[in-house]
Amino acid sequence: MAYYDLKKKPSLTTKEGETEVLYVQAITAGTILSDEFLDLVSKRIGFRKGEIEGVLMSVFDTATDWINKGFSVEVGEFGFFTGKVKANRMVAKKTDIRSQSICFNNVNFRPSATFKKALNGDLTRVPTVQFRQSSDLSMEELEKLLMNYLDNNAYISRVTYSELTGRLKWKAAQDLKHFVEKGLIESRGKRNQKHYVKAERT
């Protein structure tokens, strides 16, 4: 389940006399970092993590090589990658600038139609109701509650964490993701069986 929210259109982009309107904005539930992404792909297709990482590096090297040669590169069903350039200053005439002062500075990405059609997951609006006062706890306070609980229990689920801290479901998932990335806890199991344990200290 992915989340979205409704935001007011910025006043600077609202024309005079125009009625104030709202626009939808996706709310990121967290970040799947490269190492975790490789694990997920490995479990999905059965290839070793190192093999997938090697293929991705080869794709990266090949794509950048041809982009540097001025080509637009199509990568599978993802879409097209094209180099973007900039100059170190603005000029009035073409003869006022030399090629040495122009360089690549970014990449434009144009997703394929297949990629866009694949983004068809369920969406729901982020809850706006107040849950409990503890939902306003700082990350330090949330961390203390979590670690104290795990000092006395073998594991914690997302539901239990929500009850412990008063965090909404979607926010609790973000919190736990943050604490995993911080190295404090590790996730175990999948879907309804997913739970979290204290990370092993080396």
Side-chain angles (χ1 to χ4, degrees), residues 26-44:
I27 303 298
T28 303
T31 301
I32 303 296
L33 298 177
S34 179
D35 194 60
E36 183 181 359
F37 181 71
L38 291 173
D39 280 331
L40 293 170
V41 175
S42 176
K43 292 173 184 177
R44 190 179 187 116

Side-chain angles (χ1 to χ4, degrees), residues 35-75:
D35 194 60
E36 183 181 359
F37 181 71
L38 291 173
D39 280 331
L40 293 170
V41 175
S42 176
K43 292 173 184 177
R44 190 179 187 116
I45 64 176
F47 290 177
R48 288 197 295 269
K49 184 176 174 180
E51 295 174 330
I52 300 169
E53 186 173 19
V55 170
L56 287 178
M57 285 303 301
S58 295
V59 171
F60 176 85
D61 291 340
T62 304
T64 53
D65 182 35
W66 286 97
I67 290 172
N68 280 325
K69 293 175 181 177
F71 287 83
S72 177
V73 178
E74 182 183 17
V75 179

Side-chain angles (χ1 to χ4, degrees), residues 141-153 164 198:
E141 291 171 314
L142 292 168
E143 179 179 324
K144 185 176 180 180
L145 281 173
L146 172 64
M147 301 314 290
N148 284 343
Y149 182 90
L150 289 175
D151 283 340
N152 299 291
N153 299 272
L164 177 69
K198 259 190 173 182

Side-chain angles (χ1 to χ4, degrees), residues 70-89:
F71 287 83
S72 177
V73 178
E74 182 183 17
V75 179
E77 299 294 352
F78 286 102
F80 297 83
F81 296 83
T82 307
K84 190 176 180 180
V85 298
K86 72 168 185 177
N88 59 8
R89 60 191 177 91

Side-chain angles (χ1 to χ4, degrees), residues 150-166:
L150 289 175
D151 283 340
N152 299 291
N153 299 272
Y155 66 89
I156 189 170
S157 67
R158 196 272 307 157
V159 173
T160 302
Y161 176 84
S162 293
E163 294 172 349
L164 177 69
T165 61

Side-chain angles (χ1 to χ4, degrees), residues 12 31 35 45-46 51 56 71 78 80 95-96 101 112 120 129 143 167 171 193:
L12 291 176
T31 301
D35 194 60
I45 64 176
E51 295 174 330
L56 287 178
F71 287 83
F78 286 102
F80 297 83
T95 55
D96 291 341
S101 61
S112 69
N120 58 4
V129 297
E143 179 179 324
R167 303 288 268 180
K171 199 64 178 176
Q193 301 301 317

Side-chain angles (χ1 to χ4, degrees), residues 155-198:
Y155 66 89
I156 189 170
S157 67
R158 196 272 307 157
V159 173
T160 302
Y161 176 84
S162 293
E163 294 172 349
L164 177 69
T165 61
R167 303 288 268 180
L168 295 168
K169 177 181 177 181
W170 72 276
K171 199 64 178 176
Q174 286 187 327
D175 292 348
L176 292 167
K177 176 88 174 159
H178 167 76
F179 292 130
V180 168
E181 292 174 352
K182 193 174 179 180
L184 295 175
I185 58 175
E186 297 175 352
S187 63
R188 297 282 188 272
K190 295 181 179 180
R191 298 184 178 87
N192 294 336
Q193 301 301 317
K194 192 169 187 177
H195 58 280
Y196 301 84
V197 300
K198 259 190 173 182

